Amino acid sequence: MVRVIIKNELQKEEDFKGACQTACKTSATVSNVTFEPEQ
Amino acid sequence: MSLYSFSLLGRFFVVHEETGSFFEVDQPVFEKVQQGQCPDELTAVLPEQPTLEWLRNQLEQRPRQLSALCLNVTHTCNMACKYCFAQQGNYGGQQAVMDFAVAKDAVDLLMKSSSSWADIDFFGGEPLIAWDTVKQTLAYATERAASKNKKVRFSLTTNGLLLTPDKLDVLDCYNVNLTLSLDGPKVVHDKFRVDRAGNGTFDKVMEAFKEVERRRQGKNYYVRGTFTHDTLNFSESVAFLVDQGFKTISMEPVTGEGLPWSIKWTDLPIIEQEYERLANLYLMRAKEGNDKRFYFYHFELNPMNPPSVLRRFTGCGAGVEYLAVDPNGDIFPCHQFDNVLPYKMGNVGQATVKPQQPDFVKAHALNKKHCQECWARALCGGGCHADSFFTTGNIWGQNQLSCEIVRMRLRYALAVNAVLQDFS
């Protein structure tokens, strides 16, 4: 059995915009690049 | 082609390393992948794989426009959090507050970009100390964006001490996404988040933060907590915040070298347990229905509409799409590089500003030696430049402990998203 959970296209016309900084503010350096979807 | 397999939450998973695509598999498929095989049923669903040449060319040659500015509107703070990377707000320099004239120049710089999108973030120090500048900038940027037919999005990080209802009225009016710094229960929060006299701030900020949730009902804000070597039980902190009614939460580790409160290698087994507990709490609440559910920043992978492979490898955009401006108008690749003078990129008052930091364009996961064999390279985008710089002295360096934490967190995020699909 194989179930696709996330399949990533190479590029998209409408990708998420902007940088992501929610995680890397406040405390000392953190290594994070998660992409925040538009709310 | 490279496949990474792991088992978590009683299930079996495979990651297609070149694209970050993610599959749940049964035990026979899992075992074949572990033996270095790629069963036909898995091959049939693998996505198109980019060539390294195509990807590198896209990352380094395609036009990339400035679309996000962090305005460090203050170099001062009304708190003195012990773990603060900005050295209690002044970034190791003089205390300062940004005049509106400087913010106006910064907005003009952003509006010159051909990007159809503009993100403006207010940061510091504590940005609400510069409230007049923030308020004027919100109005000015809104007007300028409209005249340039750009969509503008605002955000602001606050410790909450000055977040009064009248300020919140204005922030609501401009739809400003808020990052609220709150570490968990009083005993956890007050351990590090203290005022200038050294007193805990939990009681002073909770009322303001609850008012944000009351108005926004889980949207357009994040409660952003920090966990340390001394406060590792972050799953309990998240549970506490959920019980207090907060619905969108982020919890981050303090990394870095040589600080008593920074995460140590010996903390990893505890952190793994904490992510497991958090994953179970998250899934339990999600199963109970939308009114019980909360959102944890790192688990929100949006599997139905994920970022593209190219977007993931682009990383956070620091030094290219994203820049930071200090109170004097000096420009740096990101807020954490504020006052790191070798990386200064000019001043918003100058006619010409270096548009990009060339090293930051090239410092992506395809070019970083330590990312070459990492299974998570297409998911993490090569990590945080500031983390590399402040732990190794070089943006090309590796903070190995950070990488371990990111990989651990990604495994749980991926597994959680697989289980979530059973509920929908």
Side-chain angles (χ1 to χ4, degrees), chain B residues 130-344:
Chain B
W131 177 241
D132 284 345
T133 298
V134 170
K135 206 165 48 171
Q136 291 178 82
T137 307
L138 288 168
Y140 180 69
T142 301
E143 182 193 312
R144 288 281 285 142
S147 71
K148 302 280 275 183
N149 206 22
K150 278 180 190 276
K151 188 170 179 186
V152 66
R153 186 168 68 169
F154 299 109
S155 55
L156 182 144
T157 297
T158 180
N159 62 30
L161 284 182
L162 298 174
L163 187 59
T164 51
D166 59 319
K167 290 193 183 76
L168 199 46
D169 289 343
V170 176
L171 297 168
D172 286 347
C173 177
Y174 288 98
N175 206 25
V176 179
N177 192 306
L178 295 172
T179 299
L180 312 171
S181 300
L182 177 64
D183 287 354
K186 183 177 170 70
V187 65
V188 173
H189 181 91
D190 284 354
K191 194 169 181 67
F192 287 94
R193 301 195 62 78
V194 295
D195 63 20
R196 306 302 289 196
N199 301 311
T201 56
F202 178 87
D203 294 332
K204 293 174 185 162
V205 303
M206 267 305 261
E207 194 181 333
F209 290 169
K210 283 189 170 180
E211 174 64 10
V212 174
E213 163 53 32
R214 193 188 65 73
R215 292 187 186 202
R216 299 189 174 194
Q217 301 284 301
K219 296 200 186 308
N220 219 21
Y221 79 87
Y222 261 94
V223 167
R224 196 277 195 207
T226 297
F227 65 93
T228 71
H229 172 71
D230 297 327
T231 51
L232 286 171
N233 55 339
F234 62 86
S235 69
E236 287 176 35
S237 293
V238 172
F240 169 82
L241 294 170
V242 172
D243 286 344
Q244 294 299 306
F246 298 110
K247 295 182 184 70
T248 49
I249 299 164
S250 159
M251 197 62 71
E252 312 302 329
V254 172
T255 61
E257 298 286 329
L259 301 170
W261 42 81
S262 60
I263 301 296
K264 316 283 187 280
W265 281 96
T266 49
D267 296 333
L268 284 181
I270 298 171
I271 295 174
E272 172 109 41
Q273 280 175 16
E274 289 298 308
Y275 277 120
E276 176 112 13
R277 287 178 184 144
L278 179 59
N280 286 323
L281 173 69
Y282 180 94
L283 290 168
M284 183 186 78
R285 301 281 297 213
K287 200 171 184 177
E288 287 172 357
N290 279 342
D291 58 326
K292 297 284 184 189
R293 187 172 179 184
F294 70 93
Y295 296 87
F296 183 66
Y297 181 76
H298 292 294
F299 289 174
E300 309 310 319
L301 298 184
N302 200 6
M304 303 309 287
N305 185 23
S308 69
V309 176
L310 181 58
R311 181 69 182 89
R312 289 176 185 278
F313 271 99
T314 305
C316 70
V320 187
E321 285 111 353
Y322 168 58
L323 302 176
V325 179
D326 82 358
N328 300 314
D330 289 341
I331 303 169
F332 296 92
C334 87
H335 56 288
Q336 293 200 48
F337 281 93
D338 189 332
N339 213 23
V340 180
L341 297 179
Y343 284 104
K344 184 178 157 182

Side-chain angles (χ1 to χ4, degrees), chain B residues 1 108 314:
Chain B
M1 180 192 59
D108 288 343
T314 305

